Amino acid sequence: MYKITRSPWVMHYDGSSCNGCDIEVLACLTPVYDAERFGIINTGDPLQADILLITGGINTQNAPVVKQLYDQMADPKVVVAVGVCACTGGVFKDCYNILGGADQVIPVDVYVPGCAARPQAIIDGIVKGIGVFQERLEKMEKGESLTDNKKAEETAESEDK
Amino acid sequence: MISGKLISAICYVLFAPLIGGLIDGIGRKISARMQRRVGPPLLQPFYDLGKLLHKDPVHVAPSQNFFMMSYLFFIVMTGGMMFLGMDILMCMFVLSTAVMFLYFAAVVTGSHYSAIGASRELLQMVAYEPCVLLTCVAFYLVRGSFETAEIIKGDVSPIVYLPGVFVAFIFILTIKMRKSPFDISTSHHPNQEIVKGITSEIGSRNFGIYTLAEWYETVFLLGMVALFIINSNPWSILAAVVVIALVYFLEILIDNTSARVKSDVMIKVSWAVTLVAAGFNILVLIFFLG
Ligand code: SF4
């Protein structure tokens, strides 16, 4: 079995965040936290990314964008929601245009709470995500279906309708 | 003698990815240290490649697979021909052909970002090609042959005659390796203005092939640097390794200390350096040798 865990490439998407969490995501890459130690690279390209980091809530405008980014990523893939906004909608939850957390449009695997989430927590979340990632790869190599996540099926169904 | 050449070519095909990946890993480590980071493990590039090859193969257009395989094939052929002791001018033409396949792999996707990256790749070619040709000509003037097997045979290293050409070649090496400030077609670092440029629409597995081709290319290009140093004395090979290490360190230093320039600046500067350093060197050479 191939160990895929050493090279998680992350793509960061900023939903409707206040930029607090985005700064913290970037802080992970600075010399202080140096996420590259674990092979974590912040790539801007969905086709080559393994982990989708979402900060900020989902609103009516960015929902299709997030969905498309997720669809463009190759399996196995993992979604990490960073900050309470991405988890639930956070302080913006009741705004007229906010749909809620990232799990409103795509299946989220790891929730990193915090306002703003601390860099340590973000790296921890990514490392948790790597575990999910390895599981998915093993499933994929055995030929099992990856869409065990009910959410994914639900969203797919609702789109069919 | 023929078998010796064949062995070196086979060694290139087999071991260039190992050496290229290791060089990449060392480069990333040194970069990290320059930025006061710990940096990834030395074998990180191999982990990355392994992962890329294990992901679900996605392609934007089916022909991409063919173009990327051809790209890899022609890059391997370029280096193979050089280590076989064949015509260096021919190697460079094959290398240009390889780049053409990469260009097509990017433009068949219809994505704006990769199309811009692809056209910038052509601009990069425009920037470095004159110097590459002049380098080949300079080797011919010194050794009377385009064949690498003959070039490495003289008593004195070619660099003694060709210091200007060497400087110009090192300059365009930065363009060829797509390192900052000339990483305009694609970048090793993320989030540039055209996403990942020419490699934007290249899916995981094809990106693995691209990485592999890049390692072959690195070894080929550093082999070109070695041609400047190697002579009939076996110790010159050691000297060549030292020079390669210095050149690579310099490339990383430049990569870490400079910001990306615009393409027109790149063409102007690289042509100027080519004309002044390599052109002047060759004129002097013709004057004294001819
Ligand atoms: S969780 Fe807090 S810091 Fe993060 S985007 Fe939301 S409001 Fe900003």
Side-chain angles (χ1 to χ4, degrees):
Chain A
M1 183 54 63
Y2 186 77
K3 275 261 177 277
I4 211 163
T5 50
R6 286 178 187 263
S7 150
W9 287 10
V10 166
M11 181 179 60
H12 170 209
Y13 179 78
D14 172 3
S16 52
S17 117
C18 75
N19 274 356
C21 286
D22 303 313
I23 300 288
E24 301 301 325
V25 167
L26 291 179
C28 296
L29 304 168
T30 56
V32 180
Y33 301 102
D34 189 21
E36 208 191 351
R37 279 177 299 158
F38 310 113
I40 298 174
I41 289 185
N42 180 9
T43 170
D45 195 332
L47 282 168
Q48 293 151 17
D50 309 310
I51 296 180
L52 177 57
L53 274 192
I54 297 194
T55 53
I58 301 297
N59 60 31
T60 40
Q61 277 190 347
N62 68 27
V65 179
V66 172
K67 182 101 185 53
Q68 190 180 13
L69 284 175
Y70 179 78
D71 289 341
Q72 281 188 355
M73 287 166 67
D75 282 321
K77 56 189 165 189
V78 169
V79 179
V80 179
V82 173
V84 282
C85 288
C87 294
T88 64
V91 284
F92 303 113
K93 194 173 170 57
D94 294 328
C95 289
Y96 64 94
N97 59 339
I98 294 283
L99 302 176
D103 51 10
Q104 295 298 313
V105 277
I106 51 171
V108 174
D109 301 293
V110 182
Y111 295 87
V112 180
C115 177
R118 298 183 66 100
Q120 293 96 321
I122 296 174
I123 294 179
D124 201 34
I126 295 175
V127 171
K128 275 233 165 61
I130 296 172
V132 182
F133 190 53
Q134 176 71 26
E135 266 173 38
R136 298 245 160 101
L137 175 77
E138 285 168 18
K139 267 194 179 173
M140 205 175 93
E141 294 199 331
K142 279 186 209 145
E144 288 171 25
S145 150
L146 290 181
T147 48
D148 54 349
N149 202 314
K150 286 200 186 86
K151 201 87 204 172
E153 280 159 18
E154 273 167 27
T155 41
E157 272 166 25
S158 65
E159 250 178 35
D160 290 343
K161 284 169 201 164
Chain B
M1 191 60 221
I2 290 172
S3 64
K5 287 179 196 164
L6 205 61
I7 288 170
S8 68
I10 290 172
C11 281
Y12 169 77
V13 174
L14 292 182
F15 298 122
L18 292 181
I19 299 171
L22 214 55
I23 290 175
D24 193 10
I26 294 171
R28 278 173 72 175
K29 196 88 192 164
I30 296 175
S31 278
R33 285 303 156 97
M34 282 176 183
Q35 298 162 11
R36 297 205 167 180
R37 290 189 289 115
V38 178
L42 207 55
L43 298 181
Q44 187 62 41
F46 297 104
Y47 301 145
D48 290 346
L49 181 67
K51 181 211 64 186
L52 287 171
L53 295 181
H54 272 81
K55 286 201 72 167
D56 208 22
V58 281
H59 47 250
V60 181
S63 54
Q64 260 190 325
N65 297 334
F66 167 72
F67 288 132
M68 289 313 290
M69 283 315 283
S70 309
Y71 173 58
L72 177 64
F73 173 77
F74 279 105
I75 293 271
V76 176
M77 192 166 145
T78 308
M81 281 168 65
M82 185 177 83
F83 282 87
L84 262 179
M86 286 167 76
D87 195 324
I88 194 168
L89 211 51
M90 206 60 210
C91 293
M92 289 306 177
F93 287 140
V94 177
L95 187 63
S96 309
T97 314
V99 176
M100 278 295 130
F101 279 106
L102 181 61
Y103 172 83
F104 285 129
V107 291
V108 287
T109 60
S111 146
H112 296 302
Y113 296 123
S114 64
I116 296 172
S119 63
R120 287 186 181 186
E121 180 71 28
L122 291 189
L123 285 176
Q124 287 192 198
M125 256 172 109
V126 169
Y128 63 69
E129 213 61 36
C131 179
V132 166
L133 289 178
L134 280 185
T135 307
C136 297
V137 169
F139 277 129
Y140 181 81
L141 283 175
V142 172
R143 293 288 192 246
S145 169
F146 279 121
E147 303 204 340
T148 49
E150 299 296 322
I151 292 171
I152 59 172
K153 267 191 192 150
D155 294 329
V156 188
S157 298
I159 193 172
V160 176
Y161 301 104
L162 307 172
V165 179
F166 185 72
V167 169
F169 189 78
I170 298 303
F171 188 87
I172 62 129
L173 209 56
T174 320
I175 306 177
K176 200 77 200 72
M177 288 181 163
R178 305 190 183 93
K179 287 213 184 287
S180 185
F182 303 124
D183 54 346
I184 66 164
S185 77
T186 180
S187 170
H188 295 270
H189 309 294
N191 298 338
Q192 59 165 324
E193 76 280 16
I194 50 168
V195 193
K196 287 277 279 176
I198 195 166
T199 55
S200 292
E201 297 292 321
I202 291 179
S204 298
R205 190 166 293 187
N206 280 336
F207 193 69
I209 291 173
Y210 169 82
T211 311
L212 203 59
E214 227 183 12
W215 293 351
Y216 272 111
E217 197 183 12
T218 306
V219 175
F220 165 75
L221 291 170
L222 295 177
M224 281 291 290
V225 174
L227 276 189
F228 280 94
I229 313 295
I230 292 177
N231 55 31
S232 52
N233 186 343
W235 283 104
S236 64
I237 294 178
L238 198 68
V241 172
V242 173
V243 170
I244 285 175
L246 288 176
V247 165
Y248 195 68
F249 183 79
L250 186 70
E251 292 293 342
I252 295 169
L253 188 66
I254 295 171
D255 189 29
N256 274 296
T257 50
S258 54
R260 182 179 308 131
V261 296
K262 286 187 177 172
S263 52
D264 56 332
V265 176
M266 172 187 71
I267 293 181
K268 278 180 202 146
V269 174
S270 66
W271 280 18
V273 171
T274 304
L275 263 181
V276 173
F280 186 69
N281 192 169
I282 288 177
L283 278 185
V284 170
L285 211 61
I286 292 175
F287 186 71
F288 281 107
L289 290 181

